[in-house]
């Protein structure tokens, strides 16, 4: 394919205040490339990134009517966007600019071999020139985005997110797998630090949800499939029916529970109680109607006899497709389930987990009993399923210390004769949570500590469970705690039955939690554009941290889809449909699923989804018929770059003469140089006019970070603007003054 | 092998100043103690907290060796009234063992 | 073999219960120091000695005897002693320390009293009516005996119309100022150490030391009662140079005195360690402000060139 080659290329070679020019002879580089085909103008500048240099470049491009540009300076990571902007301001298309990195790749890497560094710089600049000759004008890809979001999981995280997104004008689908909203928080009872009940939080959020018309809640909803891409996902969801088709008041519900003969362990209470086939998680669970569990129901028909029950046992599941712009995952966690026999779990009858204990405490009334026996001494064993030296859960679950201690406070305030024994591995009630630890020691709770080299052992003697441990706080003396109830303080683990991650292809980390792009800088985004994660599905979090992450995901999703448009880089893969024969190899290889199989003129060919492709280039070499090209890195472009790079470099000038000139200083025209200084350089010189100063003093004077000042001051020193006074001030810094 | 008895602390003292529970086992007191008690000061508190009566009796001399000089109290990061607690322990030993 | 703690505590507390003092001495040896000073027998403000300076030579002497017993089979006889002590005052059979030593301690009390008078402070003295405060019994944890005694002492002060006392030692100050109010309802008494009183008036020292001194702060004064800078100021105003020491003020170290009667050997060991500390910068004169510290440090500094003085010796 014959292209219109660029004819008037401007080449700008940066000295980087000596960072480049001390090792790479930029004048030589300029000389060596000035006769390259298409080059119209070559310039060297002290700081190409400085405002004055930028203006000079823009004026030059306009004056000479240039059609493209090459900048040879630092890494494009630093200034690619700067010079794209320069190109735009000069009236060029920003993709008619190519960058060559002659600092990190030449002067810094080869500071001990200046000639070779210069040679390499010449080759890099020539390659860039060859590439820019072939460059085309490109426009950023703009795709339409549905201002609709699917939120998966209606725990407090999903509920909160739905409210905020809805308030910002986004249509929200809130998808919950359970038949009731509220997730783990509803199970948690009284919460630290206000002792507000988790159910109250859920109720408050749910009421706000109901007030908003642009939120649709689906319960009993399972994600089935995902198609499309950012801005235009198609989410397949299966809605299991409630089997109660009209309003069902409390009285009727109570009757239904009574007549239903089928019974099973109540999951909401972690098996502490039984529930019927017709059930609600708890009395005031939302949505208000009970649900019929068809796995348990044997259709005996007893419930149908209850008047006004509105029961329809034949109601069928419904499959729907939701067209959304973004998906927010708030799928939460599972409490760690100890293995049989782990600290007596399931082998000793008065050993339960922390979530079970919280339910027990929440439901208890008048007296604290378990298995019909009243409880006085409670032993809490910490870090069960977290921080495992041998098991797979290495993480700290972050919430459990506080939750266990707060339970101990609550149980004591409810039943004052209870005695708490905290058998821990170091208490981590970080931040504001420390107060609960202090309160607990004040109420007389006893803390014992063990190390992972010797775990406590448990033995049931009579009604009591005897826990034996070596207490690290008493010189590892062996202690015996006799307990009526042992609470295993279990941590958070990823959801066991997780179908969502597989369907949505959400990356999973080595800890089995959902993986973000960057732990610190991009904590709520995934590698799949338009899919966000928040709350405990990403890592163990308490409610406070969950809210912070869910609101952050909400804001990210909103900024992505709310304008109805998403701008994407145009540097992606293209298919030559004449050559493509659809073998499917590219589709197999692509990590992002950017390829689709389509029919064009009766032939099956590959098509690239512009919204998904990241332009990574992995597919190009796999194509046997060479039908795939990456824009900006086509075969032709790569080939001319290689040709330009391997071409002989011959310096015309005598090297020694040039060296001599360099030591004399090329700064005869100081005034001109001064003009070319970046703003901060000018400020430094101004600051030194009054008196000699040290780096920290200059930094304080001109209000710039000291490391920036040091960097530019060293350049000024190289160019002969300043020198040390030879004195050292009180803080042992050198003083600098203007060189006359 | 010692059996814990958290009720012990209640029979031990009802004095408001009595606060061995506040101890965080940092060891500052033991490091500072000019007398170099046979059992470390923090251990004396610990035995009371855990209700290990046998241990307290075993170490009864240590409780009486304390100078009550309050150097540990002055430096305790959690304001445990160590001297006052020791005096309470002496009172307990006098009552229970020495029958004074 | 260690000492039978129970018998010693028993003996001392029996004494306080029956005879109003841990070591009941004759009236004369308690009030002898005030002879010829013409201190009024009453007044709203009284100088309250708490018997500490007077008792010290005897307690110390007892300590020595107990120390001898510490490793002897004789210590079993203490149990027998306690039995007889309930009937007759066994203390009376103990050979008392020399007259000379008692005079030294009396002199310090005289110095304090005379300095107060010289500086225009008005006060009385209860003479034979004055009682020991029970500090030792409180420290030993014999609360019931102590509480009864504390009430006795407070009643005495009330009966004599005393509203304010000037104390001469840290233990008595602590008892009357901080400890009694914990056990006595509606307790009202102004308690000041003579060091605090003298710090507020103009005084002139008669025996200014001719060398640098180092200060041994009392644990109770420094950490409990906030008597920290007063003694320093009193000496500095007179031009005395006080050398700096790390282990001083709030971080002062104990002289070992409090366990004198139960663990005499250990007590001496600690006192010697403290003298070494005080001598760290080569200072040869140590200033103390508590009779217990004074006795213990002097005992530890015996046979060295280090001198330990009570601050009142400069008055």
């Amino acid at each position: 394919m014959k292209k219109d080659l660029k004819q008037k290329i401007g080449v700008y070679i940066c000295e980087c205040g000596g960072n480049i020019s001390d090792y790479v002879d930029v004048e030589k580089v300029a000389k060596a490339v000035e006769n390259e085909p298409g080059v119209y103008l070559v310039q060297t500048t002290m700081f190409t990134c400085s405002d004055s240099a930028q203006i000079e470049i823009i004026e030059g491009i306009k004056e000479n009517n240039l059609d493209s540009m090459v900048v040879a300076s630092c890494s494009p990571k630093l200034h690619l966007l700067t010079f794209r902007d320069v190109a735009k301001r000069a009236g060029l298309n920003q993709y008619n600019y190519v960058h060559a990195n002659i600092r990190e790749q030449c002067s810094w890497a080869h500071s001990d071999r200046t000639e070779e560094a210069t040679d390499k710089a010449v080759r890099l600049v020539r390659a860039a020139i060859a590439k820019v000759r072939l460059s085309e004008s490109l426009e950023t890809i703009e795709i339409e985005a549905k201002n609709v979001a699917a939120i998966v999981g209606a725990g407090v995280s999903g509920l909160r997110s739905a409210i905020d997104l809805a308030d910002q004008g986004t249509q929200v689908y809130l998808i919950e797998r359970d038949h009731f909203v509220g997730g783990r928080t509803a199970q948690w009872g009284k919460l630290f630090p206000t002792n507000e009940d988790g159910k109250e939080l859920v109720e408050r959020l749910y009421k706000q949800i109901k007030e908003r018309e642009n939120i649709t809640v689906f319960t009993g909803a399972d994600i089935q499939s995902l198609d499309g891409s950012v801005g235009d996902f198609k989410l397949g969801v299966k809605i299991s029916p409630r089997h109660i088709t009209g309003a069902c008041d409390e009285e009727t519900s109570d009757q239904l529970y009574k007549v239903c003969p089928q019974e099973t362990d109540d999951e909401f209470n972690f098996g502490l109680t039984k529930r019927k086939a017709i059930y609600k998680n708890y009395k005031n669970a939302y949505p208000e109607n009970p649900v019929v569990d068809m796995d348990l129901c044997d259709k005996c028909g007893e419930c149908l006899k209850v008047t006004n029950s509105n029961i329809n046992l034949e109601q069928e599941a419904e499959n729907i497709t939701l067209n959304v712009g973004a998906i927010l995952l708030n799928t939460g966690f599972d409490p760690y389930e100890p293995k049989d026999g782990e600290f007596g779990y399931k082998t000793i009858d008065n050993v339960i987990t922390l979530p079970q204990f919280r339910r027990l405490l929440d439901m208890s009334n008048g007296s604290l009993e378990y298995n019909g026996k009243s409880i006085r001494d409670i032993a809490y064993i910490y870090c069960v399923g977290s921080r495992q030296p041998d098991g797979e859960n290495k993480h700290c679950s972050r919430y459990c210390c506080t939750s266990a201690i707060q339970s101990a406070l609550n149980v004591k305030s409810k039943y004052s004769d209870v005695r708490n024994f905290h058998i821990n591995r170091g208490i981590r009630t970080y931040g504001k949570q420390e107060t609960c630890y202090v309160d607990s020691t004040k109420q007389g709770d006893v803390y014992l500590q063990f190390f992972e080299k010797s775990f406590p052992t448990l033995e049931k003697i009579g009604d009591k469970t005897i826990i034996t441990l070596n207490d690290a706080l008493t010189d590892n003396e062996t202690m015996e705690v006799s307990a009526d109830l042992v609470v295993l303080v279990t941590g958070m683990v990823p959801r066991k039955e997780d179908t969502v991650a597989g369907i949505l292809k959400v990356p999973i980390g080595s800890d089995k939690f959902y993986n973000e792009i960057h732990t610190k800088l991009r904590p709520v985004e995934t590698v799949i554009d338009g899919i966000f994660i928040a709350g405990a599905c990403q890592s163990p979090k308490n409610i406070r941290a969950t809210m912070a992450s869910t609101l952050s995901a909400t804001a990210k999703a909103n900024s992505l889809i709310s304008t109805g448009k998403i701008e994407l880089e145009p540097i992606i893969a293209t298919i030559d449909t004449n050559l493509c024969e659809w073998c499917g190899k590219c589709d197999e290889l692509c990590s992002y699923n950017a390829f689709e199989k389509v029919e064009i003129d009766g032939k099956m060919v590959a098509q690239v989804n512009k919204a998904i492709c990241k332009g990574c280039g992995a597919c190009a070499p796999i194509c046997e018929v060479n039908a795939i090209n990456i824009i900006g890195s086509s075969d032709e472009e790569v080939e001319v770059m290689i040709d330009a790079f391997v071409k002989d470099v011959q310096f015309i000038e005598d090297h020694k003469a040039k060296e001599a000139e360099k030591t004399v200083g090329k700064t005869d025209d100081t005034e001109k140089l001064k003009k070319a200084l970046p703003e901060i350089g000018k400020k430094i010189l101004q600051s030194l006019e009054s008196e000699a100063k040290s780096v920290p003093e200059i930094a304080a004077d001109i209000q710039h970070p000291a490391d920036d000042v040091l960097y530019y001051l060293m350049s000024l020193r190289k160019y002969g603007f300043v020198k040390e006074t030879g004195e050292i001030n009180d803080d042992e810094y050198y003083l600098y003054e203007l060189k006359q | 092998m010692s059996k814990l008895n958290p009720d012990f602390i209640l029979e031990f003292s009802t004095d408001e100043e009595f606060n061995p529970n506040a101890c965080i086992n940092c060891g500052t007191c033991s490091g500072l103690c000019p007398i170099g008690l046979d059992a470390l000061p923090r251990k004396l508190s610990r035995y009371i907290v855990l209700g290990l009566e046998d241990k307290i009796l075993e170490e009864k001399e240590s409780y009486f060796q304390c100078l009550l000089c309050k150097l540990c109290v002055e430096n305790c990061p959690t304001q445990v009234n160590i001297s006052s607690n020791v005096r309470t322990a002496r009172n307990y030993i006098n009552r229970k063992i020495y029958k004074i | 073999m260690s000492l039978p703690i129970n018998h010693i505590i028993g003996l001392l507390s029996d004494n306080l219960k029956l005879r109003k003092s841990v070591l009941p001495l004759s009236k004369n040896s308690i009030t002898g120091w005030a002879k010829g000073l013409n201190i009024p027998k009453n007044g709203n403000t009284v100088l309250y000695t708490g018997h500490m300076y007077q008792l010290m030579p005897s307690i110390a002497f007892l300590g020595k005897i107990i120390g001898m017993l510490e490793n002897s089979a004789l210590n079993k006889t203490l149990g027998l002693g306690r039995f007889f002590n309930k009937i007759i005052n066994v203390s009376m059979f103990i050979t008392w320390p020399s007259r000379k030593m008692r005079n030294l301690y009396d002199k310090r009390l005289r110095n304090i009293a005379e300095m107060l008078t010289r500086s225009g402070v008005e006060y009385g003295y209860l003479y034979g009516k004055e009682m020991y405060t029970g500090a030792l019994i409180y420290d030993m944890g014999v609360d019931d005996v102590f509480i009864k005694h504390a009430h006795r002492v407070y009643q005495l002060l009330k009966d004599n119309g005393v509203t304010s006392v000037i104390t001469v030692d840290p233990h008595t100050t602590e008892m009357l100022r901080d400890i009694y109010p914990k056990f006595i309802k509606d307790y009202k008494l102004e308690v000041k150490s003579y060091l605090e009183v003298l710090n507020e008036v103009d005084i002139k020292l008669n025996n200014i030391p001719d060398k640098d001194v180092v200060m041994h702060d009392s644990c109770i004064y420094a950490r409990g009662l906030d008597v920290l800078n007063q003694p320093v100021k009193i000496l500095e105003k007179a031009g005395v140079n006080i050398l700096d020491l790390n282990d001083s003020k709030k971080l002062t170290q104990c002289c070992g005195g409090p366990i004198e009667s139960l663990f005499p050997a250990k007590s001496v060991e600690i006192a010697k360690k403290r003298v070494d500390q005080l001598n760290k910068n080569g200072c040869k004169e140590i200033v103390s402000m508590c009779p217990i510290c004074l006795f213990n440090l002097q005992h530890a500094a015996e046979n060295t060139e280090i001198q330990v003085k009570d601050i009142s010796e400069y008055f």
Side-chain angles (χ1 to χ4, degrees), chain C residues 122-299:
Chain C
E122 283 181 19
Y123 62 94
Y125 176 45
L126 295 177
Y127 292 89
K129 284 185 279 185
E130 192 195 87
M131 279 186 275
Y132 176 62
T133 55
L136 186 59
I137 295 307
Y138 174 78
D139 284 354
M140 296 286 188
V142 193
D143 283 7
D144 51 346
V145 175
F146 170 75
I147 293 167
K148 264 190 208 138
H149 185 72
H151 278 92
R152 243 175 354 207
V153 173
Y154 186 52
Q155 194 58 47
L156 168 81
L157 293 168
K158 276 209 297 198
D159 290 350
N160 286 281
V162 176
T163 53
S164 157
V165 296
I166 299 168
T167 54
V168 295
D169 73 281
H171 291 268
T172 305
T173 317
E174 187 192 25
M175 286 298 130
L176 295 179
R177 196 193 280 180
D178 285 354
I179 309 298
Y180 276 24
K182 285 185 193 163
F183 299 102
I184 300 173
K185 249 177 84 180
D186 302 325
Y187 183 84
K188 232 172 121 183
L189 186 71
E190 193 195 0
V191 182
K192 269 189 177 173
S193 155
Y194 77 96
L195 294 165
E196 292 169 293
V197 175
L198 290 180
N199 185 46
E200 287 165 10
V201 294
D202 280 336
I203 59 164
K204 202 180 147 289
L205 300 192
N206 289 334
N207 303 307
I208 296 170
D210 52 0
K211 48 189 157 194
D212 293 347
V213 300
V214 65
M215 207 64 135
H216 167 72
D217 292 292
S218 143
C219 297
I220 294 172
Y221 269 158
R223 286 191 275 272
L225 300 169
D226 210 29
V227 178
L228 272 175
N229 298 318
Q230 295 88 338
V232 175
K233 279 191 195 152
I234 289 170
L235 291 187
E236 277 182 350
K237 267 191 262 178
V240 180
N241 186 30
I242 300 166
L243 295 176
D244 278 343
L245 188 77
N246 280 341
D247 303 292
S248 67
K249 301 279 172 216
K250 290 234 173 213
L251 298 179
T252 183
Q253 297 243 345
C254 182
C255 65
I259 55 167
E260 170 88 44
S261 51
L262 291 180
F263 305 93
K266 199 132 206 179
S267 171
V268 173
E269 199 183 296
I270 294 166
K272 288 204 163 128
K273 225 167 75 184
R274 179 58 178 163
V275 170
D276 285 347
Q277 235 173 28
L278 290 162
N279 187 34
K280 217 187 273 169
N281 40 24
C283 185
K284 296 286 175 258
E285 189 153 320
I286 297 168
V287 183
S288 79
M289 55 201 83
C290 159
I292 297 180
C293 299
L294 176 69
F295 178 83
N296 266 273
L297 296 179
Q298 270 182 343
H299 186 47

Side-chain angles (χ1 to χ4, degrees), chain A residues 315-444:
Chain A
Q315 198 182 6
E316 299 222 334
E318 213 180 318
N319 284 299
I320 57 169
T321 303
L322 303 173
N323 192 195
V324 300
I327 300 170
L328 294 90
L329 300 178
N330 304 268
T331 54
F333 69 98
D334 274 334
Y336 173 77
E337 167 99 15
K339 296 185 179 66
D340 290 1
E342 187 175 354
F343 295 111
Y345 187 67
K346 286 195 174 160
T347 53
I348 296 176
D349 58 3
N350 57 4
V351 175
I352 61 173
T353 64
L354 177 63
Q356 284 179 317
F357 180 61
R358 296 202 63 122
R359 293 305 312 135
L360 184 72
L361 183 58
D362 195 27
M363 292 186 293
S364 79
N365 197 1
S367 67
L368 187 64
E369 285 179 12
Y370 182 69
N371 278 347
K373 294 195 179 89
S374 84
I375 297 162
R376 179 148 188 244
D377 290 344
I378 306 171
Y380 305 82
I381 300 180
Y382 283 68
C383 296
V384 176
S386 304
R387 303 169 67 207
Q388 295 175 317
D390 300 320
E392 60 181 13
N393 301 326
K394 304 291 180 204
H395 61 266
C396 161
S397 292
R398 289 173 66 92
Y399 87 98
C400 6
C401 281
T402 305
S403 184
I405 294 173
Q406 193 240 0
S407 307
L409 288 171
N410 283 344
V411 74
K412 184 104 180 168
S413 70
K414 209 166 168 181
Y415 307 103
S416 61
D417 63 336
V418 157
R419 306 185 296 191
N420 296 307
F421 301 87
H422 302 267
I423 301 172
N424 64 81
R425 277 171 67 195
I427 293 296
R428 300 181 172 188
T429 45
Y430 57 93
K432 294 184 179 181
Q433 299 165 139
E434 179 70 2
T435 53
C436 76
Y437 170 72
V438 175
D439 290 346
S440 139
T441 58
K442 276 192 191 147
Q443 75 171 11

Side-chain angles (χ1 to χ4, degrees), chain B residues 20-91:
Chain B
N21 260 325
C23 174
I24 52 165
N25 277 279
C26 70
T28 304
C29 53
S30 306
L32 284 170
C33 182
I35 199 165
L37 285 178
D38 289 352
L40 304 171
R42 60 173 161 157
K43 231 171 161 185
L44 299 182
S45 288
R46 189 85 186 137
Y47 288 150
I48 299 170
V49 171
L50 299 181
L52 309 180
E53 199 173 349
D54 293 349
K55 292 275 180 187
I56 293 172
L57 300 185
E58 223 173 86
E59 295 291 349
K60 58 179 185 287
E61 282 212 358
S62 296
Y63 287 100
F64 280 99
Q65 270 184 20
C66 172
L67 294 158
L68 304 178
C69 74
K70 294 188 180 168
L71 187 59
C72 49
V73 181
E74 184 67 33
N75 290 281
C76 176
T78 53
Q79 286 84 47
V80 180
N81 300 316
I82 305 167
S83 298
S84 160
N85 295 351
V86 165
R87 215 193 62 78
T88 310
R90 288 177 179 180
N91 180 255

Side-chain angles (χ1 to χ4, degrees), chain A residues 457-475:
Chain A
T457 55
L458 284 81
E459 191 189 355
K460 180 96 193 244
I461 296 175
D463 280 347
K464 300 266 185 179
T465 297
I466 311 293
I467 302 149
T468 310
L469 76 148
N470 297 324
D471 179 31
L473 302 182
T474 322
D475 255 5

